[in-house]
Amino acid sequence: MSRRRRIQIGFGSIVLLGSIYLWQFGAQTVDAVLIRYEVRGLPDVSEVPAPLHDLAVSNQVHAKVSCSGYAYKLPWDDVDAGKGRKAGAICVTAFRSGNAFWFSSFPPAEFVTHLQNDLKMNPEQFRRHVGERASESDYSFMEQMLNARTSEVSLMQSPNTADFFMWLLLLKAVAMPPADSGVHAIRIHDFHGFQFENRRKPRFQIEDNLYSNSGGVSVILFLKDRQSAARITQPQINRILDSIHQSNDHPRPLTTD
């Protein structure tokens, strides 16, 4: 056999094997490469929820606030009433220290409904896309999304599975609040949710998103500077979360999953 013929056969074999590989693993390979070079570099995508270990609740109560059918207590006494704001379901409490506190409420399944509409899917299509449990509530979807890891995309998966996890990780990178110092799973009263800490960025903030069958609430502490961040303790945050209740309810103890 001539050298030219051997080269032709060898090249043809490479093309054939490459075609078979791309047919079998093309989508997974592309997703794996994107994970390696793009997604891993996105902020906070490697964070997954960990239990909140400090369950102590501060006994300080200096301000009682009501907003959108909910009531809660704040453990600081330097409220600047003249700078407070309310707009619909959002209430912002300002403090003379320069810090601020955000409280807002939202209806059940608000996030999954918006996501379903953005994807232009009917409820059955969305259920097949994200899974039965994740389609049921915002909390179930957030739990699945926040627990997604880059290691879950592999060459051994089906193209559909690889594409789904890639989509989930990209959505996590976009939708997840800043969490440089960690994400914590929380269970409090009838709420399940997550705390996102971020004390390293110029805009210091700590965010808690809590979900229940009747709706959810979002709590954000905006901290003026590093000194303010250092003075905020988890028991103080727990004081706020432990006190959140619908106006005709009574607070109950704080627990974790």
Side-chain angles (χ1 to χ4, degrees), residues 166-192:
M166 184 67 189
W167 171 78
L168 202 61
L169 288 164
L170 289 172
L171 184 63
K172 178 180 178 179
V174 172
M176 179 176 166
D180 285 8
S181 52
V183 183
H184 300 285
I186 299 174
R187 181 179 179 184
I188 175 171
H189 316 338
D190 297 326
F191 292 112
H192 291 73

Side-chain angles (χ1 to χ4, degrees), residues 28-38:
Q28 302 95 308
T29 301
V30 171
D31 290 339
V33 169
L34 287 173
I35 287 291
R36 181 175 179 83
Y37 293 103
E38 298 293 337

Side-chain angles (χ1 to χ4, degrees), residues 18-132:
S19 299
I20 293 173
Y21 179 87
L22 289 174
W23 178 59
Q24 290 287 340
F25 303 112
Q28 302 95 308
T29 301
V30 171
D31 290 339
V33 169
L34 287 173
I35 287 291
R36 181 175 179 83
Y37 293 103
E38 298 293 337
V39 177
R40 282 181 180 171
L42 294 175
D44 310 319
V45 75
S46 61
E47 296 284 356
V48 294
L52 181 67
H53 295 296
D54 189 351
L55 303 181
V57 178
S58 169
N59 57 12
Q60 295 176 297
V61 179
H62 293 295
K64 298 180 180 180
V65 185
S66 295
C67 179
S68 302
Y70 288 89
Y72 49 93
K73 301 173 183 177
L74 301 177
W76 305 289
D77 58 5
D78 62 333
V79 174
D80 191 340
K83 293 184 178 179
R85 295 290 183 269
K86 185 178 187 304
I90 301 171
C91 297
V92 178
T93 303
F95 299 92
R96 288 188 291 275
S97 64
N99 298 336
F101 177 80
W102 166 297
F103 182 94
S104 60
S105 61
F106 48 87
E110 181 183 56
F111 185 82
V112 295
T113 300
H114 282 311
L115 193 57
Q116 178 181 304
N117 293 337
D118 288 343
L119 293 172
K120 294 180 172 54
M121 293 181 176
N122 61 42
E124 180 56 32
Q125 290 171 324
F126 186 73
R127 192 176 298 113
R128 289 199 303 267
H129 182 64
V130 304
E132 183 74 30

Side-chain angles (χ1 to χ4, degrees), residues 51-58 75-76 181-186 188 194-197 199 206-208 221 229-242 254 256:
L52 181 67
H53 295 296
D54 189 351
L55 303 181
V57 178
S58 169
W76 305 289
S181 52
V183 183
H184 300 285
I186 299 174
I188 175 171
F194 307 96
Q195 178 170 302
F196 305 88
E197 297 184 282
R199 303 183 186 210
I206 300 171
E207 180 169 345
D208 289 86
L221 279 166
R231 288 198 295 263
I232 298 296
T233 67
Q234 188 61 48
Q236 289 176 324
I237 297 171
N238 292 347
R239 169 76 277 172
I240 301 168
L241 302 181
D242 189 63
L254 175 73
T256 63

